[in-house]
Amino acid sequence: MKTNDLILQTATKITVFIILAYSLNLFFAGHNTPGGGFIGGLISAAAIVLLLLAFDMKTVKKALPFDFKKVAALGLLIAALTGIGSFLFDVPFLSHTFGYFDLPIFGHTELATAVLFDTGVYLVVVGVTLTIIQTIGEDDD
Amino acid sequence: MNNFVILPILIPLLTGIILIFVNKYTKASRVISLLSTLLTVILSLILVNQVYQNGIQTLNLGDWDAPFGIVLVADLLASLLVTTGSIVVLACILYSFKNIGQEREKFFYYAAVQFLMVGVLGAFLTGDIFNLFVFFEVMLMASYVLIVHGGTKPQLRESIKYILVNVISSALFVIAVAYLYAVTGTVNMADLSAKISELGQPGIVTVISILFLVVFGLKGAIFPLFFWLPGSYNAPPTPITALFGALLTKVGVYSIIRTFTIIFYHDTGFTHTLIGILAGFTIVVGVVGAVAYWDVKQIIIYNILTAVGVILVGVATLTPTSLTGSIYYLIHDMIIKASLFLLVGAMVVITGTSNLKKMGGLINHHPYLGWMFFIATISLAGIPPFSGFIGKLLIVKGSLAAEHYVLVAAILISSLLVLYSVMKIFINGFWGEAKLRKEEEKGSTKGLLFPITLLLSLSIALGFGAEWFYPYISQAAQDLTDPSIYIQAVLKE
């Protein structure tokens, strides 16, 4: 018998965006309040896991056509490159800096290079989590 | 500030990341990993020279000063081991080209090797005990991947044991760091050393030091914590076993040397006597295993234990002479263990078995391999012109001066039995009636001999050119016997 997941799928379509927005909020809030790349990445991954539960592996792969192993590697690369960036300014490896900018919508904003490192962490966490889940999910064939 | 110190860690890290992207292209992976490892070797040689000329090099990561940020410290011991380690990795990568097989190569093999290298070199260079833990984990994660890589039945079985043991020892490591942090309030090694000498090493610190000995003993396979090693190291393919045998246990030994010369050296009557007793038993267990087996891989694996014991005798004695001997023997042993595993692997390739009783007469068709094995054998046992001799001589000399007669006897008798155990391979495997005709051989050694030659010539150079290497190594031992040099270099007070 084929089950009908209409309610689950409709609810998922709305909830996923709320979860993703929350994860981005946590990711950017990490500097001054609890949050950061790790928890942000985990919650983003949780949103995609919800998609996997409501739909099937094929649909989700069509919607997000990434090789998540490469996503994790890309995250590592970004994190390593932010460290190497300090070589250009002749300061020790992994030195970070920050500055204040007047941006169009946000107004007076503090931008820190540590966010770039966190982006790397975020991508690694998303990539690793989804690689694990997809590999286990695909195992039976 | 000297960003050069990070390069031996950074280059394998970047290479590992790039290799994840190109994993489908075997040729490209090979070229990239070979070139970058070569670059690491060259950079680490430059690092050794820098440290020798200008003293200990430090790098405060992120521009935070020493006890507050993470600091990388390249003293002579660390940079020499970084050099040796990267040379061993280079040889194992070369060996893998012919030996590991296409399917494994395509599945992130070279990336895992590079991450293993990141962990090992990072553990040598770090000056922070929690960072040491992190690099241990980097190394162990990569080694979990490598030990199960390919997924054959024995590998799956042994990897469960290996991972279980290491997860437990890692948990103990975290607990030990937590205790130490609770007592001293710092995790920087130089700062720890200064704080503990102010406290004069009270009883609780001695307890913590023994907990560290247990942790590093589990990693470095000392008696009675070696039980996981013989099975685990027998499972994976040859180049992986060679990497493990040459690097992983040695990181444990290095950590023991580091912590017990720089941090916990105030109550030597207790801690270093204990290390001495354990080292003695480790030697005994190692030679008993080496003599007992007729499996070529197992014989070499048990020889790892003996070597770990011999190195620790030097640490237990804690005189400049014996420490020099320990460092010399450590470097020698990393090289010679790697080359022995690779040699034995070549024998297994030819005969298709690791059972010594089914081999024979290999020297008829493989004279070069045979004589290389012979040289490796006598170098391992410590016959004078070769590299094993000087290390053991210095350890014995130091121990005699400190009146550790039982340990000296153990070392000398063990040398004889080690020689017997590897000569057994030489005599039964290479001499006698040939069991296989040329065309019956299971595989060819083409391409396998070059990396072995590389390692062996280095080992021979280490023996014959001892005059040239000795100043570096005795300088490294000097730095270890006087912790204030290390503290001065890191804390800059």
Side-chain angles (χ1 to χ4, degrees):
Chain A
M1 196 186 85
K2 204 165 178 275
T3 51
N4 194 338
D5 293 336
L6 184 67
I7 295 177
L8 177 63
Q9 292 185 348
T10 316
T12 301
K13 278 178 197 164
I14 300 163
T15 328
V16 159
F17 287 102
I18 300 172
I19 299 174
L20 282 177
Y22 181 50
S23 82
L24 281 182
N25 177 43
L26 273 180
F27 172 71
F28 283 112
H31 202 71
N32 298 314
T33 54
F38 186 78
I39 188 70
L42 268 187
I43 291 179
S44 294
I48 301 172
V49 170
L50 181 62
L51 280 178
L52 282 168
L53 285 176
F55 301 91
D56 57 358
M57 192 86 74
K58 240 187 225 157
T59 323
V60 176
K61 268 204 169 156
K62 218 175 181 179
L64 299 165
F66 309 119
D67 179 354
F68 283 102
K69 290 197 269 301
K70 302 273 153 77
V71 172
L74 184 71
L76 268 179
L77 193 64
I78 291 172
L81 287 178
T82 55
I84 295 170
S86 58
F87 281 23
L88 299 177
F89 302 97
D90 202 31
V91 286
F93 184 73
L94 273 180
S95 299
H96 285 288
T97 183
F98 63 95
Y100 294 94
F101 298 93
D102 283 316
L103 299 178
I105 301 171
F106 301 99
H108 191 67
T109 318
E110 180 191 357
L111 293 180
T113 51
V115 174
L116 294 174
F117 187 85
D118 245 14
T119 313
V121 176
Y122 176 89
L123 289 175
V124 171
V125 173
V126 171
V128 168
T129 318
L130 289 168
T131 306
I132 294 171
I133 288 165
Q134 283 189 345
T135 323
I136 296 172
E138 280 167 352
D139 237 12
D140 37 59
D141 48 38
Chain B
M1 201 266 312
N2 182 359
N3 264 328
F4 199 82
V5 179
I6 188 107
L7 288 180
I9 309 173
L10 198 58
I11 287 176
L13 177 64
L14 280 177
T15 317
I17 297 168
I18 292 165
L19 287 174
I20 295 178
F21 287 108
V22 299
N23 72 310
K24 288 283 175 284
Y25 309 98
T26 317
K27 273 238 171 74
S29 307
R30 286 178 180 184
V31 172
I32 292 171
S33 50
L34 187 64
L35 287 181
S36 83
T37 315
L38 207 60
L39 182 64
T40 315
V41 173
I42 294 166
L43 287 173
S44 49
L45 282 171
I46 298 172
L47 184 65
V48 170
N49 199 40
Q50 255 188 29
V51 176
Y52 187 64
Q53 304 285 344
N54 311 326
I56 297 174
Q57 304 285 310
T58 61
L59 169 62
N60 297 331
L61 289 182
D63 219 2
W64 296 98
D65 279 338
F68 307 111
I70 292 172
V71 58
L72 294 183
V73 187
D75 62 349
L76 214 43
L77 171 63
S79 46
L80 282 171
L81 290 179
V82 164
T83 313
T84 322
S86 45
I87 291 172
V88 166
V89 174
L90 182 70
C92 290
I93 287 176
L94 276 170
Y95 196 90
S96 307
F97 291 169
K98 291 282 181 240
N99 191 261
I100 202 82
Q102 281 276 335
E103 278 188 18
R104 281 197 170 99
E105 280 182 310
K106 280 206 166 65
F107 205 79
F108 305 108
Y109 170 73
Y110 293 114
V113 171
Q114 293 296 326
F115 287 128
L116 184 81
M117 195 167 157
V118 174
V120 171
L121 303 191
F124 288 148
L125 284 175
T126 186
D128 180 292
I129 206 141
F130 193 77
N131 201 226
L132 178 69
F133 168 75
V134 174
F135 276 120
F136 257 102
E137 286 305 302
V138 172
M139 171 183 97
L140 288 172
M141 293 284 166
S143 76
Y144 300 156
V145 174
L146 286 173
I147 198 171
V148 78
H149 204 271
T152 62
K153 202 174 163 191
Q155 277 180 295
L156 290 171
R157 185 184 62 230
E158 295 304 332
S159 65
I160 290 176
K161 297 178 196 165
Y162 179 74
I163 292 172
L164 197 61
V165 165
N166 278 305
V167 166
I168 291 169
S169 77
S170 297
L172 284 176
F173 198 165
V174 176
I175 292 167
V177 172
Y179 280 145
L180 197 57
Y181 184 68
V183 174
T184 59
T186 178
V187 286
N188 180 292
M189 288 191 203
D191 201 28
L192 272 173
S193 177
K195 289 262 159 62
I196 286 175
S197 44
E198 272 169 35
L199 292 170
Q201 194 164 346
I204 184 72
V205 175
T206 306
V207 171
I208 296 167
S209 77
I210 298 305
L211 192 51
F212 273 107
L213 184 64
V214 170
V215 170
F216 296 139
L218 267 168
K219 315 274 187 199
I222 64 175
F223 176 87
L225 306 164
F226 66 91
F227 51 87
W228 54 272
L229 179 120
S232 303
Y233 280 22
N234 203 11
T238 310
I240 299 176
T241 310
L243 277 175
F244 284 16
L247 299 177
L248 297 196
T249 51
K250 304 302 180 294
V251 178
V253 174
Y254 165 80
S255 307
I256 292 177
I257 296 179
R258 182 60 88 202
T259 46
F260 283 88
T261 53
I262 297 227
I263 304 176
F264 310 112
Y265 58 91
H266 302 279
D267 189 10
T268 49
F270 185 74
T271 50
H272 290 63
T273 311
L274 185 66
I275 295 177
I277 294 167
L278 294 180
F281 278 113
T282 311
I283 295 174
V284 171
V285 170
V287 289
V288 167
V291 168
Y293 276 96
W294 281 85
D295 181 301
V296 285
K297 260 181 141 180
Q298 286 291 357
I299 293 173
I300 310 295
I301 287 169
Y302 274 98
N303 274 313
I304 297 176
L305 290 181
T306 316
V308 167
V310 171
I311 295 165
L312 287 184
V313 168
V315 182
T317 314
L318 209 65
T319 60
T321 322
S322 61
L323 274 174
T324 313
S326 280
I327 297 168
Y328 216 110
Y329 202 74
L330 183 57
I331 292 169
H332 146 81
D333 194 63
M334 284 168 81
I335 295 169
I336 207 74
K337 281 288 141 57
S339 57
L340 271 171
F341 275 116
L342 298 181
L343 280 163
V344 163
M347 290 169 73
V348 174
V349 166
I350 296 167
T351 58
T353 171
S354 64
N355 187 341
L356 193 51
K357 288 182 174 162
K358 291 182 184 154
M359 297 179 185
L362 287 176
I363 207 152
N364 290 328
H365 302 307
H366 303 278
Y368 190 51
L369 182 72
W371 293 117
M372 281 208 298
F373 190 86
F374 182 74
I375 292 172
T377 306
I378 55 178
S379 179
L380 178 75
I383 306 289
F386 294 100
S387 58
F389 172 68
I390 301 139
K392 262 185 195 161
L393 179 74
L394 290 170
I395 294 174
V396 166
K397 208 172 135 194
S399 306
L400 279 179
E403 302 184 343
H404 288 166
Y405 297 118
V406 180
L407 288 176
V408 170
I411 291 179
L412 294 179
I413 296 169
S414 81
S415 301
L416 204 62
L417 292 172
V418 162
L419 182 64
Y420 166 73
S421 71
V422 272
M423 264 313 162
K424 188 166 80 179
I425 302 181
F426 183 70
I427 290 171
N428 290 290
F430 287 97
W431 287 359
E433 196 97 4
K435 295 252 168 86
L436 295 170
R437 272 184 287 119
K438 186 85 186 154
E439 46 287 354
E440 285 173 344
E441 286 171 0
K442 306 288 190 284
S444 99
T445 56
K446 195 164 159 284
L448 298 184
L449 296 183
F450 174 66
I452 306 172
T453 319
L454 184 81
L455 287 175
L456 270 184
S457 47
L458 189 65
S459 164
I460 292 169
L462 204 59
F464 281 89
E467 290 274 308
W468 194 74
F469 289 101
Y470 187 79
Y472 290 86
I473 291 166
S474 69
Q475 181 64 42
Q478 284 296 336
D479 290 354
L480 284 186
T481 45
D482 187 4
S484 64
I485 301 173
Y486 187 93
I487 298 170
Q488 191 75 38
V490 175
L491 297 181
K492 298 192 180 70
E493 276 161 359

